[in-house]
Amino acid sequence: AQSVTQPDIHITVSEGASLELRCNYSYGATPYLFWYVQSPGQGLQLLLKYFSGDTLVQGIKGFEAEFKRSQSSFNLRKPSVHWSDAAEYFCAFNQAGTALIFGKGTTLSVSS
Amino acid sequence: DSGVTQTPKHLITATGQRVTLRCSPRSGDLSVYWYQQSLDQGLQFLIHYYNGEERAKGNILERFSAQQFPDLHSELNLSSLELGDSALYFCASSRGQGSIQPQHFGDGTRLSIL
């Protein structure tokens, strides 16, 4: 069955430290992959997307993600976390034009 | 600001009632998607409309229905409400159908059933 797994429910990172959020997908072909961020009381904001080509994609707010076909992974990274990055992060995929399938999300806390 | 507008932001009602959630997509977007976000189920796809026509259904209950109007706004109707329908309901829009354009989300409608 098609699915997205985010193994970490909650992660705490010190401000200024690096961040990596994990995402694994289960799908028969190469999907279209996305990372969204949700701040409290807000909707989901698109951070970045991967459709094809370069497997390292750059997004907004200094985030990047790397697609690894062999590991069925699409991990999100940021070299230096800011307190304002505290939020919930969702990995998702779809076939073009269809519904998004989301992971359960990872809550990021940033400590000072 | 994603450009997707959802109203109302909050809705409080009682079991057995019926409510309508409204979504205005981004200018130029023809596809509208509805999602439900709850603590136990996470984010789940409900239904997709493209240019006024239903294109796909997900985990949408028979008590729920939706439509997309000629001006492309969409409404999600929830009836015979139960406590378990309490959730955050998101609308998202994208340019087309079968395109690789990403979906952009509104801020959601928080529905509380008392």
Side-chain angles (χ1 to χ4, degrees), chain A residues 36 38 43 51 96-100, chain B residues 33 35 37 45 90 99-100 103:
Chain A
Y36 285 86
Q38 183 180 24
F51 292 149
T98 64
L100 287 166
Chain B
Y33 305 79
Y35 293 85
Q37 185 180 33
F45 165 68
F90 285 110
S99 75
I100 61 172
Q103 296 176 26

Side-chain angles (χ1 to χ4, degrees), chain A residues 7-28:
Chain A
D8 304 306
I9 296 173
H10 190 192
I11 284 182
T12 299
V13 175
S14 298
E15 190 169 15
S18 64
L19 169 71
E20 181 168 26
L21 301 183
R22 296 182 291 164
C23 172
N24 294 95
Y25 65 90
S26 174
Y27 186 64

Side-chain angles (χ1 to χ4, degrees), chain B residues 19-108:
Chain B
V19 296
T20 298
L21 313 183
R22 183 187 169 100
C23 169
S24 294
R26 291 188 322 160
S27 176
D29 284 0
L30 298 178
S31 273
V32 170
Y33 305 79
W34 286 96
Y35 293 85
Q36 180 193 59
Q37 185 180 33
S38 61
L39 284 175
D40 53 343
Q41 298 292 325
L43 272 157
Q44 296 226 316
F45 165 68
L46 296 178
I47 198 162
H48 170 210
Y49 276 82
Y50 173 76
N51 203 21
E53 294 190 9
E54 181 185 304
R55 282 291 185 246
K57 272 187 173 181
N59 298 320
I60 187 166
L61 300 172
E62 284 191 10
R63 301 183 285 107
F64 295 3
S65 65
Q67 53 184 327
Q68 186 179 27
F69 295 86
D71 67 352
L72 301 177
H73 91 272
S74 177
E75 293 180 356
L76 179 66
N77 300 295
L78 315 176
S79 62
S80 303
L81 287 168
E82 303 175 359
L83 292 177
D85 298 328
S86 294
L88 194 51
Y89 291 85
F90 285 110
C91 165
S93 71
S94 68
R95 280 284 180 260
Q97 177 193 5
S99 75
I100 61 172
Q101 294 301 315
Q103 296 176 26
H104 296 270
F105 283 74
D107 287 342

Side-chain angles (χ1 to χ4, degrees), chain A residues 44-56:
Chain A
L44 287 89
Q45 182 182 22
L46 179 67
L47 284 176
L48 47 78
K49 59 186 183 291
Y50 172 77
F51 292 149
S52 65
D54 193 347
T55 57
L56 185 64

Side-chain angles (χ1 to χ4, degrees), chain A residues 67-88:
Chain A
F67 170 65
K68 293 185 177 180
R69 185 192 307 274
S70 61
Q71 298 177 20
S72 297
S73 69
F74 188 56
N75 294 348
L76 181 72
R77 301 195 294 246
K78 186 170 185 178
S80 178
V81 167
H82 187 261
W83 64 266
S84 60
D85 293 325
E88 189 159 19

